[in-house]
Amino acid sequence: MRTHRPHRLIPFQDGHLPTWPEDAAIDLFHTQPTIGAIAFSDSARYLPALLATLEAAAADRGRLEPIAGGAFVLDEVLAWDDEALNVVDTRAWKLVTSMLGVNARTEQAQAIMVPPQRELPLRPHGAGTASVVMLVRGDGLELRHHTLHMDPVTPPKRFAEGGMLAHPSTMRPCVTENTGDAPVWLLSWDYQRSAA
């Protein structure tokens, strides 16, 4: 679980990637509640490796846990020794701490797979105060409030694979229906404010 500030460079394959690329900018596209979106211009460098890691884990059916709507979850993804996961975990943490303005402790991280013709319905409130969701592959992502007293929030039109959304943990990622031919893959993190 990440509780410390990462180094400026992240080891990846035979080189390094910056923790926060110079052209990365948070788009505060929703204000009540505050939700930020970000895209990373170098995501094509690590997305194929990240997707391969997730698909390899999904091939081991003993690791997949079914959840409502026909979706599946992989828990404890941060325990895996994987460079691509380390890149996105570092960037998700940087995103949420930039949004909160304080340090944060990772409470939970999961990979979520939504097979074709299935959905990811609203799930219980996350374990924390702030969350990040990353679209690894597919589309149809939206955020819903756990009390259902507000309309779903859809990402900006330019939001694409590799993009991340930072949002309150009272909102959860949903996929109304995967109409594509391949699974939708998401990574989700929940964070707690930390004084450290």
Side-chain angles (χ1 to χ4, degrees):
M1 300 295 175
R2 184 175 300 284
T3 58
H4 61 280
R5 298 190 182 280
H7 298 291
R8 292 175 55 89
L9 294 175
I10 312 166
F12 182 69
Q13 296 177 345
D14 294 328
H16 294 83
L17 291 172
T19 296
W20 201 253
E22 289 185 10
D23 60 351
I26 301 171
D27 176 11
L28 298 177
F29 73 97
H30 198 275
T31 56
Q32 293 187 352
T34 301
I35 304 173
I38 195 163
F40 297 104
S41 58
D42 60 355
S43 64
R45 288 189 58 188
Y46 54 82
L47 275 179
L50 179 60
L51 183 58
T53 295
L54 297 176
E55 289 179 333
D60 180 357
R61 289 293 179 176
R63 298 174 77 173
L64 286 174
E65 295 180 29
I67 54 178
F72 296 88
V73 67
L74 289 161
D75 281 316
E76 304 300 328
V77 295
L78 298 187
W80 304 353
D81 183 19
D82 184 86
E83 287 186 328
L85 269 171
N86 185 47
V87 170
V88 297
D89 175 52
T90 300
R91 289 181 174 184
W93 184 88
K94 175 71 173 171
L95 171 60
V96 79
T97 56
S98 296
M99 294 277 295
L100 290 174
V102 296
N103 203 357
R105 179 181 67 250
T106 308
E107 294 292 321
Q108 176 177 274
Q110 298 177 320
I112 302 167
M113 180 184 73
V114 186
Q117 313 309 314
R118 298 291 186 266
E119 64 176 341
L120 175 63
L122 185 66
R123 299 188 298 152
H125 180 290
T129 56
S131 300
V132 171
V133 62
M134 175 185 181
L135 180 63
V136 180
R137 182 175 67 188
D139 57 23
L141 173 64
E142 62 185 23
L143 297 173
R144 292 179 179 266
H145 196 273
H146 74 106
T147 62
L148 298 177
H149 290 156
M150 62 179 291
D151 291 335
V153 175
T154 56
K157 291 187 185 302
R158 61 193 169 281
F159 189 78
E161 293 174 352
M164 294 182 178
L165 299 176
H167 57 91
S169 293
T170 51
M171 303 190 78
R172 308 309 295 159
C174 298
V175 176
T176 303
E177 183 182 8
N178 178 7
T179 58
D181 296 326
V184 171
W185 276 103
L186 308 174
L187 283 171
S188 176
W189 295 261
D190 293 315
Y191 301 92
Q192 190 66 258
R193 291 175 186 264
S194 172

